[in-house]
Amino acid sequence: MTRVVSLYFPTWPTDRLRRTMGQSAPSAETPVIMLGRQGNRRLVLAADAAARAAGLRVGIPASKAHVLVPNLQSFDLDAAADAASLDRMALWSLRYAPIVAADPPDGLIIDTTGADHLHGGEEAMLEGLVSRMAASGIEARAAVADTWGAAHACARFLARPTFVAPVGEAPAIMRGLPIGALRLPRDIVEGLLTLGFERVGEIEAAPRASLTLRFGAELGRRLDQAMGRRSEPFEPIRSPELIEVRRAFGEPIGAADTIARYTGKLVAALCEALAAKGLGARRLDLLFHRVDNRIEAIRAGTAVPVRDVKRLTRLLSDRIETVDPGFGIEVMTLAATLVEPFASRQIISSLVEEPEPDITDLIDTLANRIGEQRLYRFSPVESDVPERSARRIAATAPDDGTSWPGEWPRPPRLLTHPEPIETMALLPDHPPVWFSWRGIRRRVARADGPERVFGEWWQRDAELIAVRDYFQVEDEAGDRFWIYRAGDGEDPETGSHKWFLHGVFA
């Protein structure tokens, strides 16, 4: 089942204008509109959130807008610059999926079929897209559905700021949306409203022939595309600097063995192109152009720059089974969408030296199966507070030489949040005699501590005098736990004196 993401920028291109102007841009409270000519009239073609809140809308005359909002700032619309910015954003979005295209005038379209698991699922992927855009000063809404038309409509009418349409539910969702969700020209929408149509479902229930006779074939075409009854391919964007190889076939191919054989040939040609530029591939996109104008795609990533033909071929071939060739594939395109300089590595110089193990091949295999975000390792952080003493880094990130302090052992498993426990202990320095955690009461057989951990006053004022006293305890069954008391056991200002379980020893 195809899954398509629509990314919608409701205040575009005013967001681009502010980014371009930098510090000289109008403040967020100042209403801003973009103007352009339609025939002999000068109209509002875009408005930011402040302008819309003031009552302005797209399509009203520029003179009327300035009368309604006295402190309004207006700028001429630069269609070429806006289109170029959308293309750059589409190229940036290639990190999410191999098939991305601009959706003018205010959006992007991304075919994420089979790629969402690499980003933690559809909901996490959409949230990541929207938050990254917000960090760059661009307001965005995102929706995923089975078709381009449905995703486009959901992003503009349902996303707040994200929306995930369940698989197979696109037609039912579309029937309840306004007719403006069908990506129809304004004159057709106004004509339908005049006839009394308000929802997409009403148009679908009406006789198709009479509507086609009055409004043309585009109305039925847009309706069928949104409902998934007609395909709607789009051409993925490609950078001019992209290293890419292509193979066209006289007769369409479809067998998995044939696809795998030509995949190896494309990889060999691509590695030659990479070697000529001294680069290695970090991400490969293999696109299959079917005879029905639909594009299937598979993606493979690597932890380090690679141009080993066998290794890259295996990574791509492992996912060929996910490709639906349909009635045949007529063109295959392999592109290195992320490259880095390829550095040579010193091999061992004598028989007595031990070769350094290379696990990057294993990391690549796992990352392409479960997702790069789920494959990581922990790195020490200079902090005495346990939950701040580690951070996630890439599996192949270089070692910076830092390590955890070794005076007191730490449990290999820390709970996401310390969990409260019931205890009986003699204050201020004695460990509990027993504690109850998750409904199970455990009697303490052995204990070591306390290890006092002070708060980090430079992080927040509440930690200025806060302390924790940690104990390593072992119950009668031999299970070992890491518990602490909030406070020093005497002064109530140092903590609540409640007990918590923070970790479990192996």
Side-chain angles (χ1 to χ4, degrees), residues 384-388 418 427-429 450-458 460-471 482-500 502:
D384 290 330
V385 180
E387 57 265 35
R388 299 176 188 160
L427 299 180
D429 297 326
E451 173 195 359
R452 179 155 293 179
V453 174
F454 292 90
E456 297 176 338
W457 54 266
W458 56 92
R460 54 179 185 156
D461 294 339
E463 299 185 31
L464 186 61
I465 58 174
V467 297
R468 295 178 184 174
D469 282 342
Y470 279 87
F471 293 86
W482 203 39
I483 64 177
Y484 74 87
R485 182 188 62 237
D488 60 7
E490 297 178 329
D491 186 356
E493 293 186 359
T494 61
S496 64
H497 292 171
K498 294 182 179 180
W499 289 83
F500 299 86
H502 202 169

Side-chain angles (χ1 to χ4, degrees), residues 23-310:
Q23 295 182 351
S24 60
S27 64
E29 294 77 16
T30 303
V32 175
I33 59 173
M34 308 290 287
L35 304 177
R37 288 194 175 277
Q38 289 187 357
N40 295 327
R41 299 197 303 166
R42 190 168 172 81
L43 305 177
V44 175
L45 300 184
D48 69 353
R52 294 180 182 182
L56 301 184
R57 59 179 179 83
V58 175
I60 68 173
S63 57
K64 181 179 179 180
H66 282 284
V67 170
L68 293 175
V69 184
N71 62 335
L72 184 65
Q73 291 200 26
S74 60
F75 301 87
D76 289 332
L77 187 71
D78 190 343
D82 294 335
S85 294
L86 280 180
D87 287 343
R88 288 194 296 270
M89 294 169 67
L91 290 173
W92 173 86
S93 300
L94 282 171
R95 67 187 64 195
Y96 287 93
I99 305 176
V100 182
D103 188 12
D106 52 13
L108 302 177
I109 195 74
I110 309 172
D111 188 335
T112 59
T113 306
D116 58 281
H117 73 282
L118 299 176
H119 307 284
E122 290 182 337
E123 291 186 5
M125 178 178 61
L126 296 186
E127 291 174 0
L129 271 167
V130 171
S131 61
R132 288 196 176 194
M133 290 295 176
S136 300
I138 300 174
E139 181 184 353
R141 300 176 190 169
V144 59
D146 299 334
T147 65
W148 177 358
H152 184 279
C154 292
R156 285 151 180 80
F157 291 89
L158 298 177
R160 296 294 184 271
T162 62
F163 182 82
V164 177
V167 176
E169 295 296 322
I173 293 173
M174 285 297 303
R175 292 186 184 102
L177 295 179
I179 58 176
L182 286 177
R183 296 177 294 162
L184 295 169
R186 184 176 301 175
D187 57 338
I188 295 182
V189 173
E190 292 176 352
L192 291 169
L193 291 173
T194 303
L195 293 177
F197 293 100
E198 295 182 354
R199 301 289 171 179
V200 174
E202 298 172 0
I203 299 176
E204 186 182 29
R208 177 71 62 91
S210 59
L211 291 177
T212 302
L213 182 63
R214 178 158 185 169
F215 298 104
E218 185 172 8
L219 175 59
R221 178 171 60 87
R222 288 300 192 192
L223 181 63
D224 291 340
Q225 288 172 345
M227 298 298 183
R229 295 191 287 263
R230 177 181 294 190
S231 63
E232 188 178 8
F234 58 90
E235 187 66 24
I237 192 169
R238 284 292 181 260
S239 169
E241 295 82 18
L242 195 67
I243 301 177
E244 187 177 57
V245 292
R246 179 184 177 95
R247 183 67 179 257
F249 306 102
E251 293 290 335
I253 64 172
D257 293 343
T258 306
I259 296 174
R261 183 171 68 254
Y262 282 106
T263 297
K265 294 181 179 180
L266 287 174
V267 170
L270 184 71
C271 288
E272 291 181 3
L274 291 171
K277 296 186 177 183
L279 300 173
R282 286 290 313 278
R283 185 171 64 220
L284 296 178
D285 289 343
L286 181 57
L287 307 185
F288 304 89
H289 301 259
R290 304 190 334 185
V291 295
D292 58 358
N293 286 331
R294 180 176 169 180
I295 300 177
E296 295 280 323
I298 57 177
R299 164 170 286 183
T302 61
V304 295
V306 176
R307 58 171 183 246
D308 184 296
V309 175
K310 291 184 178 179

